[in-house]
Amino acid sequence: MRKQQPSRSPWAPPPPGTPPQRPPSEPRGVWLGAPVLLAAISSGVVVSGLFWSSRPLGTALVYGLAASLAVFGVGLLISAFVGRLGAGTVAAAMLTGLLLVGASALPESISTEWTDSRWQPETAAEVRDTYSMGSGRGTLDLTELDVSGEDRVRTVLTGGAGQLKIRVPYDVTVRVAADIGLGGYVYEEQGEGGRPVAAGGGLGADWSGSFPPPDGVEPGGVVQLTVHLSVGQVVIEREAVPEGAGRTAQPERETPEPSAAPDVQDAPAAPAAPDVDGQDGQAGQEGEEGPG
């Protein structure tokens, strides 16, 4: 027969050797991750929007990301005393710091608005010393210029991000010096018989060269281009040679005519053979008349 264990009172002390029980931990407060993240995003958007139309792209992003990073800092400080923040909020704060460093490295020439600019001077006197754009596409059309002889046209083009295209007349010599932070360059000739395309690029690409007019075209003046582009592509395009215009006359080779064969009808006639029968008859008549 089993012995019944004496019932223990819940208020009785624990038996000897029992480890003490820890009291349940009290919650540290509300979860602050979502409110801090929402406040950081909102502050970044608002501050960047305030400077979006008046400052370059890099500056506007730096102001907005700095405001977001400040909100994360305040949230981490509050969570040390009240509430909790998870690892996701800490990772978001670190990512914001990396984006802030990247935005501070953007060139100031990159604008926040994408534009499409076109310049087309009609005379050499109308060509400006400098053409500039922020972000977008810029086209300088010089095909209407009459650059001949010793004339020289110089201009400088600067851009932040996008494409800079320069169209030049068919009969000029093009001299170019370009530096591109990140991107490429292309030189091409339009029309039949154009030369192969010259292209290149990369990080910190520098390009310089001189391109005479196509073969058979009488050289005109010189167009000297200096291009500075932060990010994008530089394109130099030579217009096609118009038909029958600008090409030097090539001397034609004289093809000797074949000597004509003598005409048989025009050849001198051979002398006629003497008439032997006629002479004999005449001699016979004279002989008959003589003796009689």
Side-chain angles (χ1 to χ4, degrees):
M1 191 172 179
R2 293 181 179 179
K3 288 185 176 182
Q4 294 182 353
Q5 296 289 341
S7 59
R8 295 178 54 85
S9 173
W11 294 277
T18 302
Q21 295 182 358
R22 294 181 179 180
S25 59
E26 297 180 358
R28 295 179 55 187
V30 295
W31 185 265
L32 298 178
V36 170
L37 182 61
L38 182 60
I41 295 175
S42 301
S43 61
V45 171
V46 170
V47 174
S48 294
L50 293 176
F51 299 95
W52 191 258
S53 58
S54 60
R55 297 299 178 93
L57 176 63
T59 305
L61 291 178
V62 165
Y63 290 164
L65 292 171
S68 298
L69 196 59
V71 172
F72 280 123
V74 174
L76 291 172
L77 182 63
I78 293 176
S79 67
F81 303 98
V82 180
R84 293 177 296 169
L85 287 177
T89 307
V90 178
M94 295 177 62
L95 179 60
T96 304
L98 294 177
L99 292 176
L100 179 60
V101 174
S104 63
L106 291 177
E108 294 185 358
S109 57
I110 301 178
S111 62
T112 57
E113 297 180 359
W114 188 269
T115 59
D116 192 354
S117 304
R118 184 178 181 86
W119 310 283
Q120 190 173 9
E122 296 182 356
T123 62
E126 295 180 2
V127 178
R128 302 203 301 252
D129 295 336
T130 304
Y131 294 91
S132 61
M133 72 167 193
S135 300
R137 179 181 301 172
T139 303
L140 176 61
D141 193 347
L142 303 176
T143 56
E144 298 295 329
L145 302 184
D146 184 11
V147 185
S148 59
E150 299 297 328
D151 295 343
R152 185 183 297 266
V153 176
R154 296 185 180 92
T155 187
V156 179
L157 294 93
T158 60
Q163 184 189 68
L164 282 174
K165 175 183 285 189
I166 305 98
R167 301 188 70 242
V168 297
Y170 67 92
D171 58 347
V172 299
T173 298
V174 182
R175 295 176 183 173
V176 57
D179 61 271
I180 307 167
L182 177 62
Y185 55 85
V186 175
Y187 168 77
E188 57 187 359
E189 295 182 350
Q190 302 295 318
E192 297 181 359
R195 297 175 183 162
V197 176
L203 180 62
D206 293 330
W207 178 35
S208 61
S210 179
F211 303 95
D215 297 336
V217 175
E218 184 177 357
V222 177
V223 174
Q224 188 167 346
L225 303 171
T226 304
V227 185
H228 307 285
L229 183 63
S230 299
V231 179
Q233 183 186 41
V234 175
V235 178
I236 298 180
E237 179 181 285
R238 186 188 295 273
E239 70 170 342
V241 180
E243 295 185 2
R247 292 194 177 275
T248 57
Q250 299 293 335
E252 297 181 357
R253 294 183 178 180
E254 296 183 359
T255 305
E257 297 182 358
S259 57
D263 194 353
V264 178
Q265 297 179 356
D266 297 339
D275 191 359
V276 180
D277 296 338
Q279 292 181 358
D280 292 344
Q282 186 177 2
Q285 294 178 358
E286 293 177 355
E288 292 178 357
E289 294 177 359

